[in-house]
């Protein structure tokens, strides 16, 4: 996966090949206060359409440059990701903004960081969007919202 500090290659529980940061240190350094503010505003409005175009663009920029933490599980069938039920019986892939949020419910799983573009490819598996910080300041990013800002040009 990509290092959140320099963009180099970093493997689980190892050091980045480019900058040498330890995997755990990298995860501890991830924090996205602006994204969390925008997520909170989205949830207060109960949908992504309630934010202004400027705020949506700001969030898009933050997401593109983010290293959200994806809880992963490894078994004999390979790697899997946590999907949680949300509104209207829809399924959402769990992501966390930082390790404090991650530890609230996924401490037994493997924390993975990947570029936002990779996270978006996970939606091809049929999920309805992402749930950010499921045990904290939760925010649901619907697939329709993500398509509007990220997927229509691809």
């Amino acid at each position: 996966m990509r290092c959140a500090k320099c963009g180099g290659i970093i493997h689980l529980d190892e050091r980045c090949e480019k900058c040498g940061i330890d995997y755990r240190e990298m995860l501890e350094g991830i924090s996205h206060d602006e994204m969390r503010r925008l997520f909170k505003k989205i949830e207060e409005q109960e949908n992504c359409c309630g934010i202004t175009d400027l705020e949506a663009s700001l969030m898009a920029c933050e997401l593109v440059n983010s290293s959200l933490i994806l809880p992963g599980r490894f078994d004999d069938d390979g790697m899997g990701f946590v999907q949680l039920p949300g509104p209207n019986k829809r399924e959402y892939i769990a992501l966390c903004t930082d390790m404090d949020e991650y530890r609230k419910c996924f401490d037994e799983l493997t924390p993975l960081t990947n570029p936002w573009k990779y996270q978006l490819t996970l939606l091809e598996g049929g999920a309805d969007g992402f749930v950010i910080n499921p045990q904290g300041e939760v925010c649901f990013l619907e697939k329709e919202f993500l398509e509007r800002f990220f997927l229509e040009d691809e």
Side-chain angles (χ1 to χ4, degrees):
M1 70 192 82
R2 293 284 172 191
C3 174
K5 181 178 177 186
C6 72
I9 302 297
I10 191 167
H11 300 282
L12 293 177
D13 297 323
E14 293 182 12
R15 293 194 171 278
C16 173
E17 296 172 0
K18 190 173 177 184
C19 72
I21 191 171
D22 180 75
Y23 178 77
R24 296 282 171 196
E25 290 173 20
M26 176 194 71
L27 291 175
E28 291 296 335
I30 294 171
S31 179
H32 303 288
D33 293 335
E34 180 62 13
M35 256 194 303
R36 289 170 77 164
R37 182 189 73 77
L38 292 169
F39 291 153
K40 185 174 172 85
K41 184 166 184 181
I42 289 170
E43 280 305 301
E44 287 169 357
Q45 311 237 352
E46 295 185 8
N47 65 55
C48 297
C49 300
I51 63 175
T52 67
D53 286 343
L54 176 61
E55 288 172 321
S57 297
L58 232 166
M59 185 168 61
C61 182
E62 290 286 335
L63 287 168
V64 166
N65 294 299
S66 73
S67 296
L68 293 172
I69 302 168
L70 174 71
R73 44 175 95 118
F74 298 90
D75 56 31
D76 294 338
D77 297 327
M79 183 170 56
F81 308 104
V82 176
Q83 289 196 31
L84 300 172
N88 302 320
K89 298 182 181 180
R90 300 179 87 187
E91 290 289 317
Y92 297 85
I93 296 171
L95 293 171
C96 297
T97 54
D98 54 53
M99 284 305 290
D100 289 336
E101 291 294 335
Y102 181 87
R103 286 187 193 103
K104 289 179 182 177
C105 51
F106 302 115
D107 211 25
E108 74 286 352
L109 300 175
T110 304
L112 305 169
T113 62
N114 288 292
W116 177 246
K117 193 170 188 172
Y118 171 78
Q119 309 283 35
L120 289 173
T121 66
L122 299 177
L123 296 176
E124 295 168 6
D128 296 302
F130 295 112
V131 56
I132 313 293
N133 298 334
Q135 293 295 317
E137 295 178 33
V138 68
C139 178
F140 291 93
L141 292 178
E142 303 287 339
K143 191 172 187 176
E144 296 80 10
F145 172 79
L146 297 168
E147 286 171 344
R148 181 173 149 210
F149 287 98
F150 299 102
L151 301 175
E152 63 186 19
D153 295 332
E154 299 200 8

